[in-house]
Amino acid sequence: MSTYREDRRSDRAAERAQDREDRRLELEAAAQREQAKTEERRKDAEAKRRQEQADKKAKQAEQAAKKAASAAKRAKLGRWLKANPATLFVAFVMVASIVPAILSQIGALTGASVAAPMAGLLSAMLKGGAWAITFMGKQAEDAGREPRKYRIGTWAVAAVAAAVNFWHGWEQYGEHPWVAFVLGASSLFAIYIWDLKTHGSHGKTKEQKQAEKARRAHVSARRKHHPEIVEQAVKLQAALPYGVLDDESAFAAAWRIHTGAEPGLSAELYATATNAVLSLGAAFELGDNVRDELLETGFKAARLNPFAELAQVPAVQTGIGSNTPGPAAEKSRESSPGRRSEEELDARLPDALTAAAELVAEGKQISAAGLAKKLQIRREDALKLRDRVIEQRRLHAA
């Protein structure tokens, strides 16, 4: 019996222990669920806060972008107004001219017993037609077509509108005739302002006008001094397809045909230049032969010159400054062999003649220094060869 009670007591104790454990587990589960809900609420609140911050930042960025765009537009408008003040005032003046002109035309037509709607349409026809033709002319000009007929049409229509306004003003304000002129001008002034705006700034500059004037003077002088070549140039241009040969190329080709030389030169000019070089060479030869006398004369001229500051160096004044032997000649004397015999000099005479011709072609004198440099010989031998070269040239000239 006691065993049963003990067992019973033990079972109840086990049941109470199990109940306590179940209760503990339930409490722990409830606590975990509550903690999970709390964590979820915290995460939701954090996400909401972050979303609100992101939305706030996006809104601020959008507002900043709008402000920046507005500031950029204002700055752009300011720059445009600063760079185009004339356009702004032209637009203002055009509106101030067009509106009174239209009102005057409507008043003139209604005063002539024309119905108001028809008067408005007719007035719009005159002013609208003038401006339609004006803008068509601007479009044609931008496309590279001739806008003359559009400009003529614009001024013709504007003149008719001006006549209507003038007539109306003359009748309406008879005691003040000047008002008629103002009303008539209101139909023309807007067109005039627009014409100045679109064409006045396209005129030629002062430099361009001067260049055109110089070009015309150049063409006139060319026709005066070279009529045959100009005629030949025109023939060449006419023989070829249009635009293949411009004026300058045609004239250059015609010059070569007539003279055989480059433009600006001719056989006569070449002959004149050659004679001048020969004369200069002869003068240098004479100067080299009478060097001492020329030096003395140069020094005396320098001493007696009342304008000392304008006096030249005596050696240059006598025309023999360039006859001094250069380093190459000195080197040639040092490196050349001993003095040559008369037979050796006679053998070098053809080479000396060739060297002398080269000196003359270079515009230099036939000097001993020049021959010594060309032939690589001593100056003493070059002096003798120079005398023989001059003698040979005189014999050929005679």
Side-chain angles (χ1 to χ4, degrees), residues 97-110:
S97 175
I98 293 172
V99 172
I102 293 176
L103 295 177
S104 176
Q105 291 167 16
I106 293 175
L109 293 170
T110 54

Side-chain angles (χ1 to χ4, degrees), residues 6-291:
E6 290 176 358
D7 292 339
R8 183 69 176 168
R9 191 182 302 113
S10 177
D11 291 339
R12 285 198 293 269
E15 289 177 356
R16 288 194 295 270
Q18 183 65 37
D19 292 338
R20 288 194 297 271
E21 181 66 20
D22 293 340
R23 181 63 179 168
R24 185 184 66 80
L25 292 175
E26 289 179 358
L27 292 175
E28 287 181 358
Q32 290 178 356
R33 287 194 297 272
E34 185 65 24
Q35 184 179 2
K37 290 180 180 179
T38 303
E39 181 66 20
E40 185 177 357
R41 285 193 297 267
R42 186 189 67 79
K43 290 182 179 179
D44 291 341
E46 181 68 19
K48 184 178 180 181
R49 184 182 63 82
R50 290 181 179 178
Q51 184 63 38
E52 290 177 351
Q53 289 180 349
D55 293 341
K56 184 177 179 180
K57 290 181 179 179
K59 187 176 181 180
Q60 291 176 350
E62 184 179 359
Q63 292 176 351
K66 289 181 179 179
K67 290 181 179 179
S70 300
K73 289 180 180 179
R74 289 193 299 271
K76 183 178 180 181
L77 179 61
R79 289 193 300 270
W80 185 88
L81 292 176
K82 186 177 180 180
N84 302 277
T87 303
L88 177 64
F89 285 101
V90 164
F92 171 75
V93 172
M94 287 173 61
V95 172
S97 175
I98 293 172
V99 172
I102 293 176
L103 295 177
S104 176
Q105 291 167 16
I106 293 175
L109 293 170
T110 54
S113 301
V114 178
M118 184 176 294
L121 291 174
L122 291 175
S123 177
M125 178 194 72
L126 290 176
K127 297 304 295 182
W131 285 106
I133 298 173
T134 298
F135 292 127
M136 284 192 293
K138 183 66 170 62
Q139 187 178 9
E141 187 175 9
D142 293 340
R145 299 192 297 272
E146 176 59 45
R148 182 178 303 175
K149 62 180 180 180
Y150 297 100
R151 298 182 69 185
I152 293 174
T154 297
W155 284 104
V157 176
V160 173
V164 172
N165 285 344
F166 178 80
W167 190 273
H168 172 66
W170 191 269
E171 291 184 344
Q172 188 72 22
Y173 307 98
E175 296 180 358
H176 304 284
W178 58 269
V179 178
F181 291 96
V182 174
L183 291 175
S186 66
S187 292
L188 301 175
F189 194 68
I191 300 294
Y192 177 68
I193 288 291
W194 175 263
D195 194 65
L196 286 180
K197 176 66 175 62
T198 55
H199 297 93
S201 59
H202 298 169
K204 296 177 181 178
T205 62
K206 183 178 180 181
E207 291 75 12
Q208 290 174 336
K209 292 179 180 179
Q210 290 177 349
E212 286 190 358
K213 183 178 179 181
R215 172 67 179 173
R216 289 193 298 269
H218 176 72
V219 173
S220 177
R222 177 176 284 179
R223 292 183 178 277
K224 177 181 178 182
H225 296 293
H226 310 289
E228 295 180 356
I229 297 178
V230 171
E231 183 179 357
Q232 181 64 51
V234 173
K235 292 180 179 179
L236 289 175
Q237 287 180 308
L240 295 174
Y242 177 76
V244 172
L245 200 62
D246 58 31
D247 294 342
E248 294 299 329
S249 299
F251 185 84
W255 185 282
R256 294 187 186 96
I257 292 173
H258 276 263
T259 65
E262 291 301 311
L265 300 176
S266 64
E268 292 79 5
L269 291 176
Y270 277 119
T272 301
T274 303
N275 291 334
V277 171
L278 292 175
S279 299
L280 181 64
F284 279 130
E285 292 171 7
L286 176 62
D288 197 63
N289 289 328
V290 291
R291 177 181 298 273

